[in-house]
Amino acid sequence: DSGVTQTPKHLITATGQRVTLRCSPRSGDLSVYWYQQSLDQGLQFLIQYYNGEERAKGNILERFSAQQFPDLHSELNLSSLELGDSALYFCASSVHRDRGMNEQFFGPGTRLTVL
Amino acid sequence: GQNIDQPTEMTATEGAIVQINCTYQTSGFNGLFWYQQHAGEAPTFLSYNVLDGLEEKGRFSSFLSRSKGYSYLLLKELQMKDSASYLCAVRDRRGQNFVFGPGTRLSVLP
């Protein structure tokens, strides 16, 4: 158990719909990262938040957005869903030091199926 | 641009040694990580290299050559439970953006 929690574990929805995925980081971790993992692709970095502010942006579609709240939990919002958005969505957290490992600890993931 | 290459699949025998290579070309470098991921599960951290050389951690070792943009993960005394995907990831110069490689699926056979 990494200490990172994600809800829900599974989500089944229809094309065109909107969903929200939730992540609570490990206690003390200020950075939260979101990743998408499809069957035919590796782990794709979407976005990172640090202490409530957006820190880095990867291959995140305009239909997707995220935020990190004052209690440091984060939500990833996916809208106008398409079949190709079906994937495992992982959240990871890390402490934030200028130097050092800052390794990421991953949550169990949310499996999204768009029908 | 950012590019990380790993072999797609590897097969090895229980008790043997296997080396999984990773080459990278990124806009900056601030550390290389190896993660293990069992099918349908979350990646788990294995090792970290930021300076050239070998880091040993039990049955697992990781090597880095920054000048060559090259790393490898060495797994000794393979066990069936080591069957998993192994992901190489590079942290960029800004220090917080991670780029993951496609992963190497390792099958350990009896």
Side-chain angles (χ1 to χ4, degrees), chain A residues 55-98:
Chain A
R55 177 86 175 190
K57 217 167 188 175
N59 302 320
I60 188 166
L61 299 172
E62 284 191 15
R63 301 183 285 111
F64 295 2
S65 65
Q67 53 184 327
Q68 186 180 28
F69 295 87
D71 67 352
L72 300 177
H73 91 269
S74 178
E75 292 181 356
L76 179 67
N77 301 296
L78 315 177
S79 62
S80 303
L81 283 168
E82 302 174 359
L83 295 178
D85 297 328
S86 295
L88 256 176
Y89 290 84
F90 286 107
C91 165
S93 74
S94 72
V95 299
H96 183 98
R97 301 187 196 93
D98 289 337

Side-chain angles (χ1 to χ4, degrees), chain B residues 44-65:
Chain B
T44 55
F45 169 75
L46 287 178
S47 69
Y48 167 74
N49 295 75
V50 68
L51 300 175
D52 291 351
L54 189 68
E55 292 286 338
E56 296 187 78
K57 206 175 180 182
R59 294 190 298 117
F60 293 13
S61 305
S62 56
F63 171 83
L64 175 68
S65 169

Side-chain angles (χ1 to χ4, degrees), chain B residues 25-106:
Chain B
Q25 291 174 305
T26 54
S27 58
F29 180 85
N30 197 5
L32 187 141
F33 297 75
W34 283 95
Y35 282 83
Q36 180 191 60
Q37 186 179 25
H38 286 98
E41 298 183 9
T44 55
F45 169 75
L46 287 178
S47 69
Y48 167 74
N49 295 75
V50 68
L51 300 175
D52 291 351
L54 189 68
E55 292 286 338
E56 296 187 78
K57 206 175 180 182
R59 294 190 298 117
F60 293 13
S61 305
S62 56
F63 171 83
L64 175 68
S65 169
R66 288 171 297 170
S67 62
K68 294 181 180 175
Y70 168 70
S71 173
Y72 67 72
L73 180 69
L74 195 70
L75 292 78
K76 303 175 192 171
E77 300 167 19
L78 281 171
Q79 301 175 9
M80 301 296 289
K81 67 177 182 179
D82 297 329
S83 293
S85 286
Y86 291 85
L87 311 176
C88 169
V90 174
R91 188 168 60 196
D92 71 9
R93 80 162 66 87
R94 287 184 301 161
Q96 293 301 320
N97 192 11
F98 283 73
V99 179
F100 277 82
T104 297
R105 190 179 305 130
L106 174 67

